Amino acid sequence: MDIYFRVLHIKWDYEEILFYLQLFCISLIWNIVYFSKISLLYVINVVTNFINYNYLPSIQEGLPSYEWSLFYSDLKELKDHSRFSNIIPAHNISCLPNVTSDFLQWFVGFSDAESSKK
Amino acid sequence: MQNPQKNNTSLKFTFRVVLHIDDRDVLEYIQKTLGVGTIHTSDACVTFAVQRFEDIVQVIIPIFDTFPLQTTKVLDYKDWRTAAMIKFQGPLSKDSLAKILLLKAGMNQNRKSFDSYCNHTIEINALWLLGFVEGEATFGIKHLAPYFSIAQKANSARVLYAIEAFLRKIPLGFTLTKNSQYPIGSFSLRETTAVISCSWSNIDSLHDYILPGARARGASPRCGPRARVSLVVYHSFHGKK
């Protein structure tokens, strides 16, 4: 990198700063883990979750808590079909070319609960 | 099916869903999406009904043939479909009419035998379950703790067992809780009404598995808000944000 900084009269390049920054972060996490006696896996979990949900509009809008933000994440999660493995693939019902199999399966479940046939 | 001998009219088939008037939007959405049926309101109820025979043969029957019903309602559907196909095949003879009336006499409330349901393969998937939950599930609060339950007539107990097994396997949707217990339902049978119910009341499994699962599938005009309210109420009582 061509960017140089002069800190304490020592010339450090950008990559060097990044390296020390990483060391600092790792040591910070290690200290938190060591002194608070919580598992490293838990910390990784928290960081991962934070990154996963960081884009949420609720956070951007400054809603009160992280947990509340989850309630507003529907739109993103709606697209996340991979979480369920046994979704029946789309079927073509000739008279309903524009109706998704997602809706039809929901409709059949709903009918199982509420419908009657006479 | 209307009895043609009684009122001297033609044989009529009806598929219908009756809900409380508050849920009219759901039925309007269904009507708009399928492009068939009518909606009418009476007192506190709103009804979506498909009565046009062409719509029943071309829309309703293909849907339930492609995506089978899972409860004992499938037995009524099979009889109803058989009757519709008899009518579809041409002018009704006395024999075919008698067969249809026999089928009608053993359907819905008049059904005595559920033996053939034992041979029905139950396959639960998330979308079917979401629709079923819309109609049959309860999100409630008991002793300041939320619960989620589904009740069925005892002869549909198999479907409840299948749902319970399915929910045990849904993926963890919220991973911040440590050692969250996966959803295990507890069954209870009310002998006086022959109703069996399965309920889930562990707050962590509700919050970490069931609610994210419902949200991921796009819940829902009716149950989504109830589930959230239950959990929010629980959190407010227990000091969580």
Side-chain angles (χ1 to χ4, degrees):
Chain A
M1 296 293 289
D2 293 324
I3 307 166
Y4 287 85
F5 299 91
R6 182 176 287 273
V7 181
L8 297 174
H9 307 288
I10 301 167
K11 273 187 178 177
W12 286 1
D13 68 17
Y14 180 78
E15 286 170 356
E16 209 171 354
I17 288 174
L18 214 62
F19 172 73
Y20 283 111
L21 201 64
Q22 282 173 352
L23 269 186
F24 173 76
C25 289
I26 290 167
S27 93
L28 185 70
I29 290 172
W30 173 249
N31 276 286
I32 292 170
V33 170
Y34 185 80
F35 288 109
S36 62
K37 293 186 171 56
I38 57 175
S39 74
L40 183 61
L41 200 64
Y42 184 67
V43 174
I44 292 169
N45 210 350
V46 171
V47 173
T48 312
N49 270 283
F50 179 76
I51 293 165
N52 283 344
Y53 288 96
N54 197 29
Y55 60 87
L56 286 177
S58 51
I59 287 179
Q60 290 162 4
E61 290 160 13
L63 280 169
S65 75
Y66 167 74
E67 196 154 341
W68 262 109
S69 69
L70 286 178
F71 287 108
Y72 293 87
S73 64
D74 296 24
L75 278 179
K76 191 266 169 186
E77 291 196 18
L78 259 172
K79 295 173 190 166
D80 191 7
H81 285 208
S82 61
R83 289 173 52 186
F84 294 92
S85 55
N86 67 339
I87 300 293
I88 301 171
H91 286 67
N92 279 330
I93 292 180
S94 57
C95 54
L96 299 168
N98 299 321
V99 181
T100 64
S101 64
D102 281 15
F103 171 79
L104 293 175
Q105 289 173 86
W106 174 90
F107 174 68
V108 171
F110 189 60
S111 300
D112 240 327
E114 298 282 14
S115 74
S116 65
K117 296 155 208 78
K118 289 183 176 179
Chain B
M1 287 175 270
Q2 273 182 16
N3 188 337
Q5 286 175 341
K6 241 181 196 173
N7 52 16
N8 210 19
T9 59
S10 61
L11 208 57
K12 268 192 176 178
F13 288 76
T14 307
F15 169 84
R16 70 175 189 175
V17 180
V18 183
L19 297 178
H20 188 268
I21 198 164
D22 289 350
D23 294 319
R24 186 184 173 93
D25 289 351
V26 180
L27 296 185
E28 281 177 351
Y29 183 73
I30 291 172
Q31 185 200 26
K32 191 179 158 195
T33 308
L34 296 181
V36 296
T38 54
I39 291 178
H40 64 267
T41 308
S42 61
D43 299 328
C45 294
V46 58
T47 304
F48 166 71
V50 182
Q51 289 184 312
R52 247 184 103 228
F53 193 64
E54 290 77 14
D55 292 340
I56 283 172
V57 171
Q58 290 171 10
V59 177
I60 300 298
I61 288 177
I63 291 173
F64 291 108
D65 283 353
T66 311
F67 304 106
L69 293 159
Q70 305 294 330
T71 65
T72 52
K73 215 166 261 186
V74 71
L75 305 180
D76 294 329
Y77 168 70
K78 282 178 179 172
D79 288 348
W80 183 79
R81 183 192 191 285
T82 306
M85 287 300 107
I86 291 171
K87 182 181 175 180
F88 183 66
Q89 280 159 8
L92 292 174
S93 66
K94 271 190 178 177
D95 284 351
S96 54
L97 186 63
K99 197 175 175 187
I100 290 173
L101 292 177
L102 189 68
L103 288 168
K104 175 182 159 62
M107 281 173 61
N108 299 322
Q109 305 293 329
N110 299 324
R111 181 172 296 283
K112 296 283 186 289
S113 170
F114 294 89
D115 293 346
S116 55
Y117 184 58
C118 300
N119 303 322
H120 178 64
T121 307
I122 295 176
E123 287 176 12
I124 306 295
N125 71 70
L127 292 158
W128 175 90
L129 181 59
L130 196 65
F132 191 65
V133 163
E134 289 278 354
E136 295 285 27
T138 306
F139 292 93
I141 299 165
K142 200 172 185 181
H143 308 304
L144 298 184
Y147 68 90
F148 164 61
S149 77
I150 306 176
Q152 281 290 288
K153 283 279 184 188
N155 48 39
S156 283
R158 280 183 64 221
V159 84
L160 276 190
Y161 298 138
I163 290 171
E164 204 271 345
F166 174 82
L167 286 179
R168 280 180 187 230
K169 291 176 189 166
I170 62 171
L172 186 65
F174 183 83
T175 53
L176 283 181
T177 315
K178 283 178 83 179
N179 304 322
S180 176
Q181 186 189 42
Y182 58 86
I184 299 174
S186 60
F187 292 90
S188 62
L189 173 67
R190 185 170 289 180
E191 289 183 10
T192 50
T193 53
V195 168
I196 187 167
S197 69
C198 183
S199 59
W200 294 261
S201 55
N202 180 289
I203 181 65
D204 288 339
S205 60
L206 284 174
H207 186 273
D208 300 348
Y209 288 89
I210 291 177
L211 191 62
R215 204 169 44 225
R217 302 309 317 155
S220 67
R222 305 203 301 162
C223 74
R226 290 180 208 164
R228 289 169 200 185
V229 166
S230 297
L231 282 165
V232 169
V233 168
Y234 175 86
H235 286 168
S236 66
F237 277 120
H238 289 76
K240 293 187 182 181
K241 286 176 184 173

